[in-house]
Amino acid sequence: MSMIRDLRAVVRPSRVSLRKDSGSVYDTTRDPSTPSAVVDCAVYRDGARIETPKPLTPHEAMRVVRRDGGFVWIGLHEPTEAEFSGIASEFGLHPLAVEDAVQAHQRPKLERYDDSLFTVFKTIHYVEHDRLTANSEVVETGEVMCFTGRDFFITVRHGGQGSLRALRHRLQDDPELLAKGPSAVLHAIADHVVDGYIAVADAVQDDIDEVETEVFSPGRRGGVSRGVDSAGIYQLKREVLEFKRAVSPLLRPMQLLSERPMRLVDPDIQKYFRDVADHLARVQEQVLGFDELLNSILQANLAQASVAQNEDMRKITSWAAIIAVPTMVCGVYGMNFDYMPETHWKFGYPVIMSVTVAICLGIHRTLKRNGWL
């Protein structure tokens, strides 16, 4: 199964326009020039894809499966309610699951219905950026929703990331695995999604290491570094929270798939979900650690800013105290009274200036010795 874990994301595929069967119940109001929501539809028997002269509609594919055996795998991308209603009727999908699949923005979960399993995965894509700012996007999320039945497997994908084309091709190159049926595809998708989490976690770790270095690097002043400030750290924390929302809720469904016998999951496949759950648990620990570490970094950054401001205020206060001496002397001798002492004395000016400078130097030395300057 190691080859499944080596899958890498590929470029988002273009949707394939399929002709509708005249006897089906699919949406017929869509403009024929508009691409269909169906990305791919194929029948698999004994681990091999059944080649047909023309692309099959879901209705035709299911008719072939019911007649000759095997299972159908249908991939859709952001279908409308009208587009998906026909497929839902054909395969007997539960209305609540259909509603979730069309509307998207669902929490990762596993729901069991009479004849199918409904699984929601959050896909995570790392967004490359030159430096972290208050508006940086670090992770981009999408969704893959899976309907697993006895003789069908339906994926509904939302978002620009998380293409399954490469995964489908890789599975087609492993007939022995694909012969296990729809549950093998479910495991492959789960493993593929969690492998994506691991890659994103490593990239986010690099970002956090860079932020940590910037915050604690020598010579920083006022909590501001070359590329990261408090707003950038907070933005990274928000992105980590988005990552956490994708990872944490999925752990329980993976544990259920690995521990609880299910008639729609092949026993030979079920044990491999344990490996997926273990990897997911490790990613969850990483994400929780990211959150706590960013809290500490943010607090340290604010504390450094506060300390730097206090140091600046001490310096300002120190210089104000020094300047107060000549200001007072000049203010006294600027009052222009006729009978002021030393005003007509020959050495009055140099004496007063010398005393003023001596007092200022004494104050400066005292403040510097106490660490205020």
Side-chain angles (χ1 to χ4, degrees), residues 180 183 261-273:
K180 298 294 183 181
S183 60
M262 299 181 184
R263 59 187 179 86
L264 292 174
V265 179
D266 189 288
D268 292 335
I269 295 297
Q270 186 175 26
K271 59 186 177 182
Y272 290 104
F273 280 105

Side-chain angles (χ1 to χ4, degrees), residues 17 30-36:
S17 180
R30 194 181 184 98
D31 186 348
S33 63
T34 304
S36 167

Side-chain angles (χ1 to χ4, degrees), residues 127-180:
V127 180
E128 297 289 345
H129 48 271
D130 294 333
R131 68 186 188 93
L132 194 63
T133 67
N135 299 316
S136 295
E137 186 177 17
V138 180
V139 296
E140 182 180 2
T141 62
E143 292 179 54
V144 176
M145 303 173 182
C146 304
F147 293 87
T148 307
R150 182 180 57 84
D151 52 8
F152 67 86
F153 190 83
I154 302 171
T155 57
V156 181
R157 187 166 57 86
H158 291 269
Q161 305 297 329
S163 171
L164 301 176
R165 174 178 289 183
L167 177 62
R168 184 188 286 260
H169 291 167
R170 185 63 64 89
L171 283 173
Q172 289 174 176
D173 292 336
D174 189 356
E176 184 178 353
L177 176 63
L178 200 55
K180 298 294 183 181

Side-chain angles (χ1 to χ4, degrees), residues 111-127:
E111 294 179 344
R112 290 177 291 179
Y113 298 101
D114 293 337
D115 299 319
S116 65
L117 292 175
F118 178 60
T119 315
V120 178
F121 298 96
K122 284 278 190 181
T123 58
I124 299 291
H125 171 70
Y126 179 77
V127 180

Side-chain angles (χ1 to χ4, degrees), residues 132-343:
L132 194 63
T133 67
N135 299 316
S136 295
E137 186 177 17
V138 180
V139 296
E140 182 180 2
T141 62
E143 292 179 54
V144 176
M145 303 173 182
C146 304
F147 293 87
T148 307
R150 182 180 57 84
D151 52 8
F152 67 86
F153 190 83
I154 302 171
T155 57
V156 181
R157 187 166 57 86
H158 291 269
Q161 305 297 329
S163 171
L164 301 176
R165 174 178 289 183
L167 177 62
R168 184 188 286 260
H169 291 167
R170 185 63 64 89
L171 283 173
Q172 289 174 176
D173 292 336
D174 189 356
E176 184 178 353
L177 176 63
L178 200 55
K180 298 294 183 181
S183 60
V185 182
L186 178 62
H187 166 264
I189 290 177
D191 198 48
H192 175 70
V193 170
V194 173
D195 280 350
Y197 292 168
I198 295 173
V200 172
D202 291 340
V204 172
Q205 179 68 68
D206 292 339
D207 278 343
I208 294 177
D209 290 343
E210 182 179 350
V211 168
E212 190 174 21
T213 301
E214 291 288 346
V215 168
F216 295 104
S217 62
R220 293 182 75 250
R221 287 181 51 84
V224 179
S225 63
R226 289 185 293 106
V228 181
D229 56 15
S230 296
I233 298 173
Y234 185 72
Q235 175 65 14
L236 181 57
K237 182 174 172 58
R238 287 177 59 89
E239 295 293 297
V240 168
L241 179 60
E242 187 73 17
F243 193 4
K244 180 180 177 181
R245 288 172 179 167
V247 173
S248 296
L250 187 59
L251 185 58
R252 182 57 180 164
M254 292 299 100
Q255 290 173 341
L256 289 175
L257 286 170
S258 64
E259 298 170 359
R260 185 170 301 178
M262 299 181 184
R263 59 187 179 86
L264 292 174
V265 179
D266 189 288
D268 292 335
I269 295 297
Q270 186 175 26
K271 59 186 177 182
Y272 290 104
F273 280 105
R274 189 178 302 114
D275 184 63
V276 177
D278 289 342
H279 288 175
L280 187 62
R282 182 167 66 87
V283 174
Q284 185 189 35
E285 291 175 358
Q286 281 186 279
V287 175
L288 293 177
F290 293 162
D291 193 36
E292 295 177 1
L293 183 57
L294 284 172
N295 279 335
S296 300
I297 292 174
L298 185 59
Q299 291 174 2
N301 188 69
L302 295 176
Q304 286 183 349
S306 179
V307 169
Q309 289 174 355
N310 289 338
E311 290 178 354
D312 291 340
M313 289 302 299
R314 287 166 60 179
K315 290 180 180 180
I316 293 172
T317 303
S318 300
W319 284 111
I322 294 173
I323 295 174
V325 175
T327 300
M328 181 187 68
V329 173
C330 294
V332 169
Y333 284 92
M335 292 187 290
N336 298 321
F337 288 112
D338 289 336
Y339 300 102
M340 292 182 65
E342 294 87 26
T343 54

